[in-house]
Amino acid sequence: MLSNPFSVRSSFREMERLRREMNDLFETLDRGPRMSLATTYPAMNVWTNPDGAVVTAELPGVNPDDLEISVQGDTLTLRGARNPEPLNEGEAFHRRERGSGKFQRAFQLPFAVDASKVEASYELGVLSITLPRAESDKPKKIQVTSA
Amino acid sequence: MAESKEIEVQEAEKQELAESGAERTRAQRAFVPRVDIYETNEAIAVIADMPGVDAGSVDITLEQNVLTINGYVNEKRPEGYTLAYAEYRTGDFVRSFTLSNQIDQDRIEAGVKDGVLRLHLPKIKPTSKKIAVSGS
């Protein structure tokens, strides 16, 4: 038997369906940007000149030995970890805002990098990676000769 | 909390200091450093992320029971390069805390390493005093 669309029960059912749809909608809205943001640790600044780039990132309290930097073509990949603060028995955190754990980030540069000349330094919690542009990638100046 | 957890999203963003109370006179942005605070029987430990700050550029004051941390950052700009793309901004670090315990001001220890400030604030030991009652 067909249910009466105006019955109390079916209008409740309809409201329930709407509620679920709205929830799904907000959930996807909520999830979308968060997922894309999650890959952007650490934040990076990129400084350039015609011969290459310097990438800086704030990574306080990271052991430089735990940082792994690799370059392939025009892509810089940074991997690392920060250890959580060790607590002894009977000690408790009042506040815990500093994140810890593993991170990984790949960054594409607008040019091919000469991987053999990449240098990195870590000072005062700031990582700085110098990425010279590959000679083969640099624009060639073409001499015009007049006959 | 799992230790291998990915660093949280919010971590990527620095919180800028909202202008409240005393205004600043330096022409620099100011950020609120992220901190861990924990307490032991003898002391309170404050650990603050302040990238770009060294031992000479950090100011710690304790007045009454308000602890204030000031970190002055002089950004090192790569010479001969121009900033092409930025995801974070730099500036000073400022943050104040109200401490509930009595702190032994003379024994405060502070150290900065790799852009992380560590403060050790020893509590004053409660001493029991015997009060003599004089009867005449």
Side-chain angles (χ1 to χ4, degrees):
Chain A
M1 200 183 87
L2 284 171
S3 64
N4 175 3
F6 300 107
S7 76
V8 174
R9 190 183 285 178
S10 74
S11 48
F12 268 121
R13 209 175 294 151
E14 179 63 10
M15 269 167 66
E16 176 60 25
R17 188 188 62 79
L18 240 161
R19 191 188 64 83
R20 220 176 297 138
E21 263 182 30
M22 289 301 277
N23 276 356
D24 286 350
L25 178 69
F26 282 118
E27 238 167 68
T28 41
L29 279 178
D30 225 35
R31 220 181 291 134
R34 203 179 289 167
M35 260 159 49
S36 62
L37 260 174
T39 56
T40 60
Y41 184 88
M44 288 175 171
N45 281 359
V46 182
W47 304 73
T48 56
N49 74 6
D51 296 323
V54 174
V55 171
T56 59
E58 291 184 332
L59 291 163
V62 169
N63 183 350
D65 294 337
D66 290 341
L67 286 174
E68 192 189 316
I69 299 159
S70 61
V71 174
Q72 191 168 30
D74 61 357
T75 307
L76 165 75
T77 308
L78 174 66
R79 275 189 205 93
R82 183 159 94 156
N83 299 324
E85 204 57 41
L87 278 198
N88 296 323
E89 194 68 26
E91 297 173 354
F93 276 110
H94 289 321
R95 270 180 207 220
R96 198 171 192 182
E97 300 166 356
R98 301 167 65 235
S100 62
K102 290 179 185 165
F103 56 85
Q104 171 175 349
R105 180 159 188 203
F107 194 94
Q108 193 178 10
L109 291 147
F111 53 81
V113 176
D114 186 347
S116 62
K117 288 185 185 148
V118 172
E119 283 171 24
S121 68
Y122 182 74
E123 212 181 328
L124 307 179
V126 182
L127 176 72
S128 160
I129 309 166
T130 309
L131 303 145
R133 191 170 178 176
E135 276 310 316
S136 57
D137 190 72
K138 285 185 186 171
K140 293 274 175 305
K141 199 168 182 184
I142 290 136
Q143 209 70 48
V144 179
T145 50
S146 58
Chain B
M1 216 183 288
E3 292 191 347
S4 61
K5 190 178 76 118
E6 296 252 332
I7 285 186
E8 275 180 43
V9 179
Q10 67 201 41
E11 187 68 13
E13 267 174 66
K14 283 162 111 183
Q15 190 193 343
E16 194 158 357
L17 183 79
E19 207 69 71
S20 67
E23 284 186 39
R24 297 168 51 76
T25 51
R26 261 167 72 93
Q28 274 260 47
R29 278 175 205 288
F31 295 94
V32 180
R34 283 176 201 290
V35 297
D36 283 350
I37 299 176
Y38 63 88
E39 193 170 343
T40 64
N41 286 332
E42 306 84 43
I44 295 170
V46 178
I47 303 148
D49 278 346
M50 299 167 104
V53 168
D54 61 15
S57 60
V58 67
D59 245 6
I60 301 148
T61 55
L62 181 62
E63 203 180 327
Q64 306 289 8
N65 59 345
V66 177
L67 172 79
T68 304
I69 303 167
N70 259 293
Y72 303 104
V73 175
N74 286 312
E75 196 198 359
K76 268 175 71 187
R77 292 166 173 267
E79 227 172 287
Y81 292 88
T82 50
L83 185 62
Y85 171 77
E87 288 176 349
Y88 69 89
R89 291 183 294 188
T90 53
D92 295 341
F93 291 100
V94 187
R95 192 153 178 184
S96 296
F97 301 95
T98 307
L99 303 170
S100 52
N101 294 81
Q102 286 292 314
I103 299 299
D104 187 347
Q105 301 213 19
D106 300 325
R107 285 169 48 227
I108 292 176
E109 287 168 37
V112 185
K113 192 185 174 246
D114 294 340
V116 178
L117 170 74
R118 278 164 197 280
L119 271 173
H120 185 80
L121 307 157
K123 298 181 203 167
I124 290 177
K125 287 188 191 83
T127 46
S128 54
K129 245 189 217 161
K130 208 170 182 183
I131 293 147
V133 180
S134 61
S136 52

